[in-house]
Amino acid sequence: MIDVEIITPDRSFYTGKVSFIEMATTEGEIGVYENHVPTTCILAPGVVRLYEDENHTAEPKVAVIHAGFVEILKDRIRILAEIAEWPDEIDKNRAEEARIRAQRRIDEDADGVDLDRAELALKRALVRLSVKNK
């Protein structure tokens, strides 16, 4: 089992042991078992799945992480996240409104619109909605 700690600026979001963890990085999705090669990665907005049972038969705990860093050691993983949310903390209506606003900014492509920022806002909203809709 691997010790996992997820920390945000305003709270200790999760502390526990998992047999496997999946997360989104800027390089793509990764999964980590115990004794993984030590590394660090930049997190992308995405879903984190925490498998707390040794056989991976139970449903994983699922959370949304919007950005941050992960330090992976052989027996410990530490995630420093800008924002982390459990599905029950997500306001579906607010996420849908954020999706609509971001999509509108992208579609309009007006002068002064920061497309990178709008695309990131859209991705965050879509990740929130994907977790909330399950």
Side-chain angles (χ1 to χ4, degrees), residues 8-123:
T8 68
D10 61 341
R11 66 180 167 162
S12 177
F13 180 75
Y14 175 85
T15 302
K17 291 187 177 289
V18 302
S19 58
F20 183 66
I21 181 172
E22 294 176 299
M23 65 196 96
T25 73
T26 56
E27 301 298 316
E29 295 279 329
I30 65 168
V32 180
Y33 288 101
E34 188 176 24
N35 295 319
H36 192 279
V37 174
T39 190
T40 57
C41 300
I42 299 171
L43 295 172
V47 176
V48 172
R49 289 176 187 82
L50 303 154
Y51 294 83
E52 295 180 316
D53 68 315
E54 291 188 39
N55 301 323
H56 313 304
T57 54
E59 286 293 314
K61 280 190 174 181
V62 175
V64 172
I65 294 193
H66 295 288
F69 299 92
V70 60
E71 173 192 46
I72 300 168
L73 302 173
K74 289 184 180 277
D75 62 347
R76 185 179 72 214
I77 297 173
R78 181 176 295 135
I79 295 175
L80 303 174
E82 258 181 47
I83 299 170
E85 301 170 300
W86 297 113
D88 63 345
E89 297 173 329
I90 296 170
D91 182 331
K92 186 176 179 180
N93 292 332
R94 186 173 170 211
E96 181 61 28
E97 290 168 5
R99 184 197 65 77
I100 292 167
R101 278 192 312 275
Q103 190 64 58
R104 190 176 304 129
R105 282 185 293 200
I106 292 167
D107 292 343
E108 290 173 358
D109 195 17
D111 288 338
V113 172
D114 184 341
L115 281 179
D116 290 337
R117 186 172 170 206
E119 288 171 355
L120 186 58
L122 178 60
K123 183 158 183 149

